Amino acid sequence: LQFTEEKLGQAEKTELDAHFENLLARADCTKNWTEKILRQTEVLLQPNPSARVEEFLYEKLDRKVPSRVTNGELLAQYMTEAANDFGPGTPYGKTLIKVGETQRRLGAAEREFIHSASINFLTPLRNFLEGDWRTISKERRILQNRRLDLDACKARLKKAKAAEAKAAAVPDFQETRPRNYVLSASASALWSDEVEKAEHELRLTQTEFDRQAEVTRLLLEGISSTHVNHLRCLHEFVESQTNYYAQCYQFMLDLQKQLGRFSGTFVGNAESASPAAATSPPAVAAATLPAVPTIPVVPTIVGVPNTVAEGVLNPNEVKPPASGTRRARVLYDYEAADSTELALLADEMITVYSLPGMDPDWLIGERGNQKGKVPVTYLELLS
């Protein structure tokens, strides 16, 4: 009745203090954003909605979620099987095996990242929503009921006092019917008793309301501890995500180095099969970088050490050509695999040129007194 009258504007309600209202608003905001962050993180880790529903059902049934192959691991499996069919000794088969192994490592890193994020980030958020927030919601409902009881007692006391005041008005001693006077005095006594009962109930309900308000206040102030805990979990999530992407980046760099070393053999096979193709660089390099003049591979070149023609570079024996040097900007960091290569740092400027008989995917790079081979894919050649 009290709740209905409040909604209809026919009854007054006890207002909570501003600090308490701020705590309630902060708690609601924390709950709403935690739900959104939790749901979107689940989407990030598992984009497949059917898989998410399946995991949710297994969790509610308290059963172990079956192991699921990641997309990278499945792709690695297909590439390995294709390499076996095409021939693992062929250039295409070798490349499929190398790329498939990298995809397998990427899939394993993804699985580890999902597991780490689930334990260190999703689980604490879910525990808050299913634990602390449920307790807060329960105590808030109890506080709401206590507040309604308190306001109902206040309304009852107000009505009793109004009736007592009316009954306690001075009776008319000139009343010719004494019975009316007796009834008036009796009604005044009854309303006095009603006021005492209403005051007693008000004191009890006020005590219960104050006690419940204090309990709820302590729980709401605990939201600050929840924020600190979620902040720590967020740092762990970022750290695991950083490690995951760093692993993926390193895996792809290793794969790129391997494919760069094998590309000369593959191009050589293509040249033996199709002499006309020997006069142009690979299509990928031509599509991404300006062309660098190269000379077809020959067994022996006058004026050039045999070590260069054989693919082994001795930096001390290499001299830049009279013309054909260019400036280049490094796109990514590159770690030299051996003493014949030049380590690179992103955004630095170096001088590059090509030597007769070199793999078209590589150039000679110079930085001051340092010299060595550098991969073309790591460079932006400037005019």
Side-chain angles (χ1 to χ4, degrees):
L1 177 62
Q2 177 68 22
F3 181 79
T4 303
E5 289 181 347
E6 287 178 0
K7 291 299 181 181
L8 296 176
Q10 299 175 353
E12 297 180 359
K13 59 179 293 188
T14 300
E15 298 293 343
L16 301 173
D17 60 86
H19 176 63
F20 201 98
E21 292 289 353
N22 290 335
L23 291 177
L24 290 175
R26 188 186 186 199
D28 290 334
C29 184
T30 301
K31 180 255 186 182
N32 293 334
W33 283 114
T34 301
E35 285 181 338
K36 293 181 179 180
I37 293 174
L38 174 64
R39 285 196 299 266
Q40 194 57 36
T41 306
E42 290 175 339
V43 173
L44 173 68
L45 300 179
Q46 178 52 265
N48 188 342
S50 300
R52 292 201 302 274
V53 171
E54 181 182 358
E55 293 176 358
F56 175 79
L57 293 177
Y58 273 104
E59 181 181 353
K60 291 303 179 183
L61 295 175
D62 197 16
R63 296 179 59 183
K64 183 179 179 181
V65 180
S67 178
R68 185 179 290 105
V69 179
T70 62
N71 294 327
E73 292 171 329
L74 186 60
L75 178 59
Q77 178 183 343
Y78 290 163
M79 287 185 171
T80 303
E81 294 175 356
N84 293 332
D85 283 345
F86 297 148
T90 63
Y92 186 35
K94 289 181 180 179
T95 305
L96 280 173
I97 292 176
K98 289 295 182 182
V99 177
E101 176 62 22
T102 300
Q103 295 300 325
R104 185 193 63 78
R105 297 168 68 186
L106 291 173
E110 179 184 3
R111 182 190 300 277
E112 182 180 354
F113 165 62
I114 292 175
H115 178 71
S116 174
S118 177
I119 293 178
N120 299 328
F121 188 61
L122 292 183
T123 299
L125 297 185
R126 195 176 289 114
N127 289 341
F128 164 73
L129 294 175
E130 297 179 355
D132 294 348
W133 179 252
R134 287 187 177 181
T135 302
I136 292 175
S137 299
K138 176 183 176 182
E139 298 301 329
R140 286 178 64 177
R141 288 194 297 269
I142 296 176
L143 178 63
Q144 175 72 354
N145 292 334
R146 295 285 186 269
R147 204 261 317 153
L148 290 173
D149 292 341
L150 176 63
D151 289 339
C153 289
K154 289 180 178 179
R156 189 179 302 117
L157 177 60
K158 184 177 180 180
K159 291 180 181 179
K161 286 185 176 181
E164 180 189 26
K166 183 177 180 180
V170 180
D172 186 4
F173 292 101
Q174 303 300 324
E175 175 63 47
T176 56
R177 290 174 293 181
R179 180 172 176 273
N180 292 341
Y181 173 77
V182 173
L183 291 176
S184 177
S186 176
S188 178
L190 290 175
W191 282 115
S192 296
D193 293 340
E194 185 68 21
V195 169
E196 291 181 1
K197 292 179 181 179
E199 290 177 344
H200 178 70
E201 291 180 0
L202 179 61
R203 286 193 295 270
L204 293 178
T205 54
Q206 183 69 55
T207 301
E208 293 177 354
F209 172 78
D210 293 340
R211 184 186 301 113
Q212 186 60 35
E214 185 63 23
V215 171
T216 307
R217 184 192 302 273
L218 292 176
L219 291 175
L220 293 175
E221 289 176 348
I223 292 293
S224 298
S225 300
T226 299
H227 286 186
V228 173
N229 182 39
H230 288 182
L231 175 62
R232 178 182 58 81
C233 297
L234 183 60
H235 278 284
E236 294 180 356
F237 172 71
V238 172
E239 182 178 357
S240 62
Q241 194 173 30
T242 302
N243 293 336
Y244 166 62
Y245 286 120
Q247 286 180 331
C248 294
Y249 177 70
Q250 188 60 47
F251 293 158
M252 296 310 298
L253 281 183
D254 295 342
L255 176 62
Q256 193 175 38
K257 291 180 182 179
Q258 295 176 17
L259 297 183
R261 291 190 178 92
F262 293 153
S263 62
T265 304
F266 302 154
V267 172
N269 293 340
E271 289 171 351
S272 62
S274 177
T279 58
S280 61
V284 175
T288 57
L289 297 169
V292 178
T294 59
I295 301 177
V297 179
V298 294
T300 304
I301 303 175
V302 178
V304 179
N306 291 335
T307 55
V308 177
E310 294 170 0
V312 180
L313 174 68
N314 186 351
N316 296 326
E317 299 180 1
V318 172
K319 295 182 179 180
S323 60
T325 60
R326 304 180 66 175
R327 296 289 290 173
R329 186 176 69 87
V330 180
L331 299 176
Y332 320 103
D333 292 345
Y334 178 74
E335 182 178 356
D338 51 48
S339 59
T340 66
E341 297 181 3
L342 179 66
L344 303 175
L345 295 176
D347 294 329
E348 70 172 334
M349 303 295 294
I350 62 174
T351 301
V352 296
Y353 51 87
S354 177
L355 292 178
M358 281 192 63
D359 185 338
D361 290 336
W362 294 81
L363 295 172
I364 301 299
E366 290 187 0
R367 183 201 307 111
N369 296 328
Q370 296 178 329
K371 185 183 304 183
K373 293 193 304 180
V374 293
V376 175
T377 53
Y378 281 66
L379 305 175
E380 178 186 0
L381 300 181
L382 305 178
S383 301

